[in-house]
Amino acid sequence: MEGPISIRKREHLRLALEGDVERPLADKGPFEVVELAHRALPELDRDEVDPSTEFLGRRLAFPLLIGSMTGGTAEAGAINRRLAAAAQHCGVGMCLGSQRAALEDPKLSATFAVRDVAPDIPLVANLGAVQLREGVGADQVRELAAAVGADAVVFHHNAAQEAVQAEGDTRFGGLTAALAGTIEALDLPCGVKEVGCGFSEADARRLAELPLAFIESAGRGGTSWPAIEGLRARGVHDRELAAALAEWGTHSLTSLLVCLRHGDAPVVASGGLRGGLDAARALALGAAATAMALPLVRAAARSTAAVIEELAAFRKALVTGMFLTGSRDLAALRRVPHRVPPELLPEAWQDTADS
Ligand SMILES: Cc1cc2nc3c(=O)[nH]c(=O)nc-3n(C[C@H](O)[C@H](O)[C@H](O)COP(=O)(O)O)c2cc1C
């Protein structure tokens, strides 16, 4: 019989595939507001552009990770295998969805198993950071990652989602210490991510104290988890609270910039990133790589070929953005002059720096 986590995962997937769950705050996506200096004289051929890089010790043909999404049901298992096969074909990385369901029912581990179709990609295991407050220890995390052949594990922070979920877990007190202890006990690269509400500067300062392999900034401007939970909520007041929080959080650009500013962990830009030109903008700001979630799960619900098509279009747009800024490689792209709307810079916040 299907347990409560699998039932919830199935609802989340259905709503993400069919619902109005994105919250761009303006007529432009969150990364589109960055302007890169155009070069009329790029002094290179488009075919010379090389967007390849390394992530977690593996090669990426271009710096994209398929964002953490799903697992825990048969349908999710099939989607994971299509995403992974497409990632292998195109040379990008993949982050699995939360493996909590597999912790509670080890049979569900099979719905996260993709290494056989994606032997070469950077593959990242996933668990809610709040699970570390629930007694989940380093040994269990190590097993979850080993079961799927992951190169790293990422702990997601989703306070806003848990806060509007009827069955949500809001015991976020002492989480940084729990995270620090787990990371120390694990002999595995560890990352942290948000799920679409971003990190503030105080968060980034805190994360800078941890020995992280990467931070995924996952700011506001793409998939909204309060919006998804709002569609699931039964009571009118719960629905109202979720709707009021649908646009809550730190803008994706601000989240990226504060994560880049503190500590030296590589930063993966995400949260409403919708294609290769957005990736060019995020990489020019200093991101080590990018992640995109919702458009790829929608493609994977159709076929592996549909995901490959999305990824090929992403690569072409990134290469075009690099060509038009005269960037032969990612190091050159990071030197491209750019401008960010001043209200999105971390300086726009009154930050007392004592939190
Ligand atoms: C269907 C779906 C399921 C998701 N499940 C997870 C999850 O299990 N763990 C996690 O860390 N993030 C999860 N996310 C959040 C994404 O990884 C990402 O941070 C967020 O969707 C913002 O990116 P986007 O705007 O490109 O979708 C999920 C997103 C979607 C669309």
Side-chain angles (χ1 to χ4, degrees), residues 9 12-13 16-17 21-22 66-71 95-99 126-128 154-157 161 193-196 216 218-219 221-225 228 270-274 291-295 297:
K9 291 288 149 189
H12 283 160
L13 189 55
L17 293 177
V21 298
E22 286 187 276
I66 295 177
S68 305
M69 281 185 283
T70 199
C95 305
L96 294 163
S98 170
Q99 288 164 262
N126 183 302
L127 196 64
V154 68
F155 296 99
H156 67 259
H157 293 253
Q161 178 189 8
K193 72 187 287 286
E194 238 285 346
V195 300
E216 186 186 322
T223 304
S224 162
W225 277 93
I228 294 179
S270 71
L273 188 124
R274 292 291 175 265
M292 179 165 84
L294 189 68
V297 78

Side-chain angles (χ1 to χ4, degrees), residues 219-236:
R220 172 194 70 185
T223 304
S224 162
W225 277 93
I228 294 179
E229 296 295 350
L231 296 172
R232 289 179 68 229
R234 299 237 150 73
V236 60

